[in-house]
Amino acid sequence: MQHLNYNHLYYFWMVQKKGSVTKAAEALCLAPQTITGQIRALEERLKGSLFKRVGRNLVATELGELVFRYADKMFSLSYEMLDLLNYQKDDSLLFEVGIADALSKALVSRVLLTVIPNDGSVHLACYESTHESLIERLREHKLDMILSDCAGGSLKYPEILSKKLGECGISFFAAEASTLPFPACLEERKLLIPGKRTSLGQQLHRWFAEKNLNVNILGEFDDAEMMKAFGYFNRGIFVAPSIYRHDILSQGMVLLGETSDIQEEYHVMFAERMIQHPAVKSLLATDFGDLFAGLDLQVQSFEHRIS
């Protein structure tokens, strides 16, 4: 066989990875016709069809699956090489971090600043999106690490490792105090809570049912800062991890109650190849216990006083 055109192979690999010619064309900034023509040239070289049409979808043939397995190893290895070579950005080390949009920016900044040296040796680049989107970007070697409130996505892929940084209970805040005890006071006003697709949102709905609370939900938010903004404008009761209690109270908000029955967890996820990245190594070696220390004791004490 004559020399294989690796551009053609790369286009085929991208189509299989993205699931369609259109999505691959968008990722590669090429016309769909260009990609289709290149794949046909590859099929002629390999003397066989790589895709077959099933309804409106393209499905890899037996030959296509075989070629993809090898191509996936080849291009994943090439991305890994680029990751290692591209650590350097100017005179500093590039550290690209994905941040789940459900996380509080305050906590994210505290965690990252703990491992970013002050000498300018690390250049931090943050990217915010949904947990699912971040996992995909991590698998595509577009991120070095992810901070998220959910580790579930990492369990699906053996090449992605995760570590739990900590957890804490949650608190309920409002612009005005209530005369009702907690948690009955949550039925008094409309609630602002995280969306159901978040771990915290799912826990809250279960907790409301367990406590037989007939709550009126005004809105659900994927962005924690947006949720708090509505609460600051006296648009309802909002929730936040208890770790932010003092910051929120300093904004003039009132603490209605808090519970440790619901736990906000914080995880870091990274590809195995990134263990040697200095910033990742530093984060994995850091004990964040002080960041979460004492919260459960404070919550238990508060719950005891209101029971």
Side-chain angles (χ1 to χ4, degrees), residues 2-3 23-24 80 143 189 229 231-232 238 248:
Q2 296 181 9
H3 177 69
K23 292 181 179 179
E80 183 174 333
L143 293 172
R189 305 174 206 167
Y232 288 156
F238 66 95
I248 296 175

Side-chain angles (χ1 to χ4, degrees), residues 218-243:
L218 174 62
E220 299 186 14
F221 301 81
D222 287 339
D223 190 316
E225 299 304 315
M226 179 66 72
M227 178 177 61
K228 286 194 293 185
F230 272 76
Y232 288 156
F233 281 103
N234 197 18
R235 300 299 297 174
I237 299 171
F238 66 95
V239 301
S242 297
I243 195 172

Side-chain angles (χ1 to χ4, degrees), residues 148-187:
S148 180
D149 61 340
C150 176
S154 65
L155 302 178
K156 301 178 183 178
Y157 309 107
E159 72 273 19
I160 297 180
L161 307 180
S162 67
K163 176 187 176 181
K164 183 177 175 179
L165 298 180
E167 62 183 16
C168 70
I170 67 163
S171 300
F172 295 81
F173 302 91
E176 298 176 353
S178 173
T179 57
L180 297 178
F182 179 82
C185 61
L186 301 181
E187 298 179 328

